[in-house]
């Protein structure tokens, strides 16, 4: 008989609202109820692992704030050349009130059990912020997006997370991006000289 592992329930105050991680049938902000256990069983997973520091996840988005309370610099790999948008090319921080990158990075790797904010799915993994949106919220040119994907692969990303896209259902809409994704999934994540391929998520 198989059994579920014990659950790990963190002390992060907004975890109770993270119904995708742990759905108890709680009331959502809009007043409707969740469905108990319609979730990814994060507390059961955390009993086995909370991720590892040697796993690096590139976040291609609006940038991530340095020393964010839930995303400390100790778990950020902030590289020169990681800003492909306007501004300082070596600073992948968001500009103005652009917080989509912080949000995406938090869902992935926000610190667990720090009595603050939310908790990420893999709170012990490191993130690599890569900024691909300009200060006015517009995206960068498609060939530069391909360069950003290649940058993540070439700098050791195990996983490349993308929460952006184009209004098209054509899988070959931007050939340069298709090539960059294919290269990342086949030639990235080199371990002991062997390419295992990056996990690329959209």
């Amino acid at each position: 008989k198989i059994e579920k592992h014990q659950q790990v329930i963190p002390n992060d105050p907004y975890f109770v609202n993270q119904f995708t991680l742990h759905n108890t049938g709680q009331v959502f902000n809009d007043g409707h109820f969740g469905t108990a256990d319609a979730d990814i069983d994060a507390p059961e997973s955390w009993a086995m692992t909370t991720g590892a520091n040697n796993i690096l996840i590139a976040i291609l988005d609006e940038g991530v704030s340095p020393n964010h309370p839930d995303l400390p610099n100790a778990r950020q790999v902030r590289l020169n050349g990681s800003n492909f948008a306007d501004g300082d090319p070596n600073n992948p921080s968001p500009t103005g009130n652009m917080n989509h990158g912080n949000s995406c990075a938090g869902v992935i790797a926000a610190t667990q059990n720090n009595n603050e904010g939310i908790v990420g799915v893999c709170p012990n993994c490191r993130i690599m912020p890569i900024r691909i949106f300009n200060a006015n919220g517009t995206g960068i040119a498609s060939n530069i997006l391909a360069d950003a994907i290649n940058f993540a692969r070439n700098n050791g990303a195990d996983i490349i997370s993308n929460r952006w896209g184009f209004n098209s259902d054509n899988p070959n809409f931007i050939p340069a991006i298709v090539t960059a994704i294919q290269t990342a999934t086949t030639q990235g994540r080199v371990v002991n000289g062997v390419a295992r391929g990056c996990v690329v998520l959209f």
Side-chain angles (χ1 to χ4, degrees):
K1 178 182 177 183
I2 62 169
E3 297 177 353
K4 284 189 174 181
H5 287 257
Q6 293 296 317
Q7 295 183 346
V8 173
I9 303 298
N11 63 25
D12 306 84
Y14 294 115
F15 171 69
V16 68
N17 299 326
Q18 293 183 269
F19 58 88
T20 56
L21 302 187
H22 187 55
N23 195 331
T24 60
Q26 66 267 54
V27 180
F28 302 153
N29 290 341
D30 63 3
H32 78 277
F33 289 85
T35 301
D37 206 34
D39 55 43
I40 67 168
D41 284 342
E44 290 85 354
S45 298
W46 290 328
M48 294 181 275
T49 181
T50 51
N53 190 258
N54 65 337
I55 297 173
L56 181 59
I57 304 166
I59 314 291
L60 276 67
D61 210 279
E62 288 182 336
V64 177
S65 297
N67 274 327
H68 185 285
D70 246 354
L71 299 163
N73 275 6
R75 288 192 300 107
Q76 288 191 41
V77 176
R78 300 176 69 87
L79 300 175
N80 286 340
S82 59
N83 176 17
F84 289 81
D86 56 5
D88 182 350
N90 298 325
N91 186 358
S93 300
T95 54
N97 196 31
M98 302 291 188
N99 278 305
H100 193 260
N102 284 331
S103 174
C104 294
V107 168
I108 294 168
T111 302
Q112 188 178 67
N113 285 325
N114 64 344
N115 284 300
E116 186 163 17
I118 65 168
V119 60
V121 175
C122 49
N124 285 338
C125 292
R126 292 176 301 145
I127 60 167
M128 177 195 299
I130 298 176
R131 190 170 147 225
I132 59 168
F133 284 91
N134 295 311
N136 64 2
T138 60
I140 58 177
S142 56
N143 63 311
I144 303 176
L145 278 169
D147 291 343
I149 294 169
N150 288 326
F151 179 88
R153 169 181 61 85
N154 289 329
N155 284 283
D158 297 292
I159 300 167
I160 303 174
S161 176
N162 304 273
R163 293 292 303 272
W164 53 270
F166 294 95
N167 188 19
S168 172
D169 58 4
N170 178 357
N172 295 305
F173 184 57
I174 309 289
I177 293 176
V178 172
T179 299
I181 293 169
Q182 290 173 339
T183 303
T185 59
T186 57
Q187 298 177 28
R189 198 166 49 131
V190 178
V191 179
N192 296 327
V194 178
R196 296 181 177 179
C198 301
V199 176
V200 180
L201 304 169
F202 276 83

